[in-house]
Amino acid sequence: MRSGRRLLRWASGIMLVLGAGHLSLAVLIAREGVAGWVDRGMWAAVPLVLTDGGAGKTVESLQNDVTFWAGPGSFAVPLVLLGCLTWHLAGRGVAVPAGIGWGLAVWCALGGVLLVPSPFFAGTVAGALVILAARRENRPVTRATGREPSPRSA
């Protein structure tokens, strides 16, 4: 599991950098919008009050929505959480299921195609590392040596 642990640590590092970087950039780019949330209160991020009589949204309210969905409402928070979970499981020697890696890789590849140019494609690397770590964990181990059998002996 030593090499699988290393792969999972790399994958979790990529996820953490992508998620934290996305949140940091969103806050830096939309500084005024986030500062407005602090001034107006917690519920100012996505207000639950409809506009006057169902009229169209204002530019300010649309910018507020975009700031929320590009920041704390985006993929970044779940990606940071998944990175932390992967790091924790790797430290305990527990393999992350390959399905998580496949889902992450497909999601990031699709996001990268739809939103070019973006660092979404780096997430496919993290997904591939999770898949590789899961495959290494599922390899048979011989009892006598405690190592994987060589390709010739199999």
Side-chain angles (χ1 to χ4, degrees), residues 11-154:
S12 64
I14 292 169
M15 288 184 258
L16 289 169
V17 167
L18 284 175
H22 189 274
L23 283 174
S24 300
L25 283 175
V27 168
L28 286 174
I29 291 171
R31 207 172 336 186
E32 292 85 22
V34 174
W37 298 342
V38 175
D39 291 341
R40 292 186 313 261
M42 183 172 79
W43 300 108
V46 181
L48 299 176
V49 179
L50 298 175
T51 57
D52 298 335
K57 289 187 154 209
T58 65
V59 172
E60 291 159 352
S61 68
L62 288 173
Q63 286 175 338
N64 191 52
D65 290 349
V66 167
T67 301
F68 175 77
W69 290 112
S74 71
F75 75 96
V77 174
L79 195 61
V80 167
L81 292 173
L82 182 61
C84 289
L85 177 64
T86 304
W87 186 276
H88 175 75
L89 292 176
R92 292 180 158 252
V94 177
V96 177
I100 300 297
W102 280 109
L104 181 63
V106 168
W107 176 55
C108 287
L110 182 63
V113 168
L114 293 175
L115 190 63
V116 174
S118 78
F120 249 119
F121 288 115
T124 59
V125 174
L129 291 173
V130 170
I131 295 165
L132 286 173
R135 289 189 179 210
R136 288 194 177 171
E137 180 66 22
N138 291 334
R139 286 187 183 163
V141 176
T142 62
R143 275 195 240 174
T145 63
R147 290 190 248 167
E148 299 172 9
S150 67
R152 290 185 209 158
S153 64

